[in-house]
Amino acid sequence: DGSADVSAKRAASGDKNGNSSNAREASDLVLQDLRDIPAVVNNVTSKWRGGLASLGSPNLKTAKTFVDAIKEAMAKNATMHLVVIGIEVSLYVGEQFAADVVEFVPGVRATCVSSNQFLGGDRVHFSSRDTKGDLTPSKLAEEGTVVLVISQSGQTFPSLKTTARLTEILGDQVFVMVGGEEANMTHTEMGRVITDYHCNKEQRRRKDGGGGSESGVLQQVQEESEDEAP
């Protein structure tokens, strides 16, 4: 009938106010992000499966070190093998990641805690089914527990302060995950905390007369910093 014909015309040209569907879609940022997801995921998957290790990818080298650290924590029978820390959306991502690790990696004990909760005091209380009592940073260091701090910006204040504090105590057991291109990750505030720690560690090793070459990741970071120097 007539109303059906009008509806069909509106569907083809836009709404009753004359706004075309293409214009509405162009202004819908959420829709654009959703449409970008398959391409982004495919890009990440192809890079990881394409053997970036042969190209010196810091991400792949760090991922291997991360896995090896968790294996060491499991070998020590730590109370908690992995603690993931974040805030707001990063906390939600961390909670899902910790749940996935427990689900798919047999024997791993992992949990997630808010960076605000951690900064509330030296004692962090875990009330999960996997552990009872309190874990302190010193105990995390002693047992070799791996800590992953997540922040999209790499400079969220509670997560940044948590990274700095834990790196002082746990050292190599601390890892960070931030958003952005791989080449820029080390230039975030949290990335700088980690790279500064490793640079200082390397300098101490050289000062003490340690032999051998520095790690590939550290060497690459230092070369990038030298390239950017005026």
Side-chain angles (χ1 to χ4, degrees):
D1 59 11
S3 61
D5 183 59
V6 171
S7 298
K9 289 181 179 179
R10 285 178 179 172
S13 60
D15 60 20
K16 63 181 180 181
N17 296 321
N19 298 319
S20 69
S21 58
N22 290 338
R24 291 197 306 276
E25 291 181 4
S27 62
D28 190 335
L29 299 181
V30 174
L31 179 60
Q32 291 179 37
D33 284 347
L34 291 174
R35 288 178 172 173
D36 287 340
I37 289 176
V40 172
V41 172
N42 287 335
N43 184 44
V44 171
T45 301
S46 63
K47 283 186 175 182
W48 282 73
R49 291 181 176 175
L52 270 184
S54 61
L55 303 177
S57 166
N59 263 348
L60 285 189
K61 293 178 180 178
T62 302
K64 182 181 184 304
T65 305
F66 178 71
V67 172
D68 290 343
I70 293 179
K71 289 180 179 178
E72 290 181 12
M74 295 178 68
K76 293 180 180 179
N77 196 28
T79 305
M80 190 63 63
H81 303 135
L82 173 65
V83 175
V84 185
I85 297 177
I87 194 170
E88 297 176 341
V89 175
S90 296
L91 176 61
Y92 309 149
V93 172
E95 288 173 336
Q96 186 60 60
F97 177 70
D100 289 343
V101 169
V102 171
E103 180 72 21
F104 296 109
V105 183
V108 168
R109 293 190 288 270
T111 192
C112 186
V113 64
S114 164
S115 52
N116 266 344
Q117 181 182 352
F118 174 81
L119 290 177
D122 288 343
R123 288 156 62 87
V124 182
H125 178 70
F126 299 99
S127 57
S128 72
R129 65 185 182 194
D130 300 311
T131 185
K132 294 180 179 179
D134 295 331
L135 292 179
T136 63
S138 59
K139 187 173 182 180
L140 296 177
E142 178 184 349
E143 295 193 345
T145 300
V146 179
V147 176
L148 174 64
V149 188
I150 303 176
S151 170
Q152 169 64 27
S153 66
Q155 60 186 17
T156 308
F157 181 77
S159 299
L160 172 60
K161 297 298 289 184
T162 296
T163 301
R165 171 158 174 70
L166 284 177
T167 301
E168 292 178 358
I169 302 173
L170 275 66
D172 294 341
Q173 296 164 223
V174 181
F175 295 80
V176 299
M177 183 171 69
V178 300
E181 294 294 329
E182 182 176 44
N184 299 325
M185 289 182 182
T186 56
H187 303 299
T188 65
E189 293 299 323
M190 286 170 54
R192 288 191 184 98
V193 171
I194 299 298
T195 52
D196 285 349
Y197 162 77
H198 286 286
C199 287
N200 292 334
K201 178 182 175 181
E202 178 65 21
Q203 290 174 359
R204 290 194 300 270
R205 185 191 65 80
R206 290 181 175 183
K207 185 177 180 180
D208 294 338
S213 59
E214 60 199 7
S215 69
V217 175
L218 177 58
Q219 183 177 5
Q220 182 169 342
V221 170
Q222 291 177 331
E223 289 174 351
E224 291 174 353
S225 299
E226 291 173 358
D227 291 341
E228 293 178 356

